[in-house]
Amino acid sequence: MSDENAGKLNQLLAELGDARLVSSRWLRAHGYSSSLVARYVDSGWLVSPARGVYMRKGGRLQWEGVVRSLQVGEGVPLHVGGLFALSLQGHEHYLRLGDAGAITLYGMERPPAWLGKLSLAQRFHYRGKGPFDLLPAAFTAEVSEKTLSEQGLAWYRAAPNTDALVCSTPERAMLELCDGVVDATLVYEADALMQAMTTLRPQRVGMLLRHCRSIKAKRLFLALAERHRHAWLSHVPLDGVDLGRGKRALVPGGRLHPTYQITLPGDLDEHLA
């Protein structure tokens, strides 16, 4: 191997570390030809856990490293949101059995095909751009907390000694969850999670409500918050929040919430027990 190629290899291995993946697209953009990558694989320096993506031989294939590779390495503005973001932040007790293994991703850009072909215990579920009209930020390592906060996002570490990931804050994750509710079972789950949301920040809630396009998500979120008498709710600024008109039948045969005009299952208390 020439000194130049040896230098490129060392640079690549340092970039990869123990948990990062890089795509064929990234490699080409950084001057690694297909033939050179094939040579690294044949020589035992790289392995390909799925077609079109590579990692250091002996590296750890973990979902945290995969998401970090997408966000910061590949520049794909996908964030961890909804149920999985809430589980990361300590609310996994309220999730249905098995849901903690489904990583919910949101963003304007679809994830690459190789994401669904990795041999991981967890599954990735792409939920589209979600219910907000906020313009996505680039998830570079240098993006500021302030920039992320303005979108209801933040850096989170899934475990000690792991890289930080861009995730929805609890306020945004709850609205993402409410947007996906389609039946009574999901209302029960959203209600159980809302019961635990005692420390949401009212100004952030108000900002996200103003930028949320889903009437259903906003009404359900507010109705459940009122149902649990959260102290922060009275401080949420609702100026400019469009709650739509008319009644919304979320579940057949449910009870109509008098304030937010959305039907909720009549047996919510029984499911909290």
Side-chain angles (χ1 to χ4, degrees):
M1 185 182 296
S2 69
D3 290 342
E4 179 183 357
N5 283 343
K8 288 174 70 70
L9 173 61
N10 290 334
Q11 184 178 1
L12 176 59
L13 295 178
E15 182 80 25
L16 288 172
D18 289 332
R20 181 166 167 198
L21 293 82
V22 289
S23 66
S24 299
R25 182 182 65 174
W26 186 96
L27 288 164
R28 288 193 300 271
H30 289 79
Y32 296 89
S33 66
S34 298
S35 59
L36 186 56
V37 172
R39 206 177 314 162
Y40 292 161
V41 172
D42 291 341
S43 299
W45 294 106
L46 298 180
V47 294
S48 178
R51 184 173 182 179
V53 66
Y54 299 86
M55 64 186 301
R56 185 174 187 158
K57 186 173 183 179
R60 295 173 289 116
L61 183 61
Q62 298 176 319
W63 75 263
E64 301 96 322
V66 173
V67 174
R68 173 76 177 191
S69 298
L70 284 172
Q71 291 180 342
V72 177
E74 300 290 320
V76 181
L78 291 169
H79 70 271
V80 179
L83 277 175
F84 197 78
L86 291 168
S87 76
L88 284 182
Q89 296 163 64
H91 300 291
E92 65 274 2
H93 172 72
Y94 299 94
L95 301 183
R96 295 191 310 277
L97 184 64
D99 274 351
I103 302 167
T104 41
L105 298 177
Y106 292 82
M108 301 288 287
E109 185 176 336
R110 295 190 66 85
W114 53 259
L115 185 65
K117 299 175 182 177
L118 298 172
S119 298
L120 287 167
Q122 299 82 7
R123 308 178 307 282
F124 289 96
H125 288 175
Y126 174 60
R127 300 298 192 193
K129 62 182 180 180
F132 301 100
D133 61 10
L134 294 160
L135 295 176
F139 298 156
T140 64
E142 294 77 26
V143 66
S144 70
E145 289 281 358
K146 180 177 183 295
T147 298
L148 292 178
S149 179
E150 290 170 350
Q151 298 191 34
L153 302 172
W155 291 108
Y156 285 97
R157 293 188 186 277
N161 303 316
T162 60
D163 288 324
L165 311 172
V166 178
C167 297
S168 293
T169 59
E171 295 86 355
R172 178 165 181 155
M174 275 303 304
L175 277 163
E176 288 168 337
L177 174 64
C178 288
D179 180 52
V181 167
V182 294
D183 56 29
T185 300
L186 294 175
V187 177
Y188 300 142
E189 185 167 48
D191 184 58
L193 285 160
M194 181 60 83
Q195 184 184 34
M197 298 293 124
T198 58
T199 59
L200 297 192
R201 289 152 287 195
Q203 293 300 318
R204 179 170 293 170
V205 170
M207 179 274 290
L208 289 169
L209 288 172
R210 288 192 298 276
H211 285 282
C212 182
R213 304 182 313 276
S214 170
I215 299 299
K216 174 187 72 175
K218 289 182 282 192
R219 290 194 190 185
L220 179 59
F221 178 97
L222 291 168
L224 295 179
E226 182 178 287
R227 167 177 148 74
H228 292 292
R229 299 186 177 93
H230 287 314
W232 49 262
L233 182 59
S234 63
H235 301 284
V236 173
L238 293 177
D239 295 344
V241 176
D242 178 15
L243 294 176
R245 296 181 180 180
K247 300 174 182 178
R248 298 295 168 108
L250 182 59
V251 292
R255 293 181 183 174
L256 184 68
H257 191 281
T259 304
Y260 298 109
Q261 298 289 288
I262 190 170
T263 57
L264 301 176
D267 58 351
L268 281 177
D269 287 333
E270 298 173 25
H271 284 264
L272 281 178

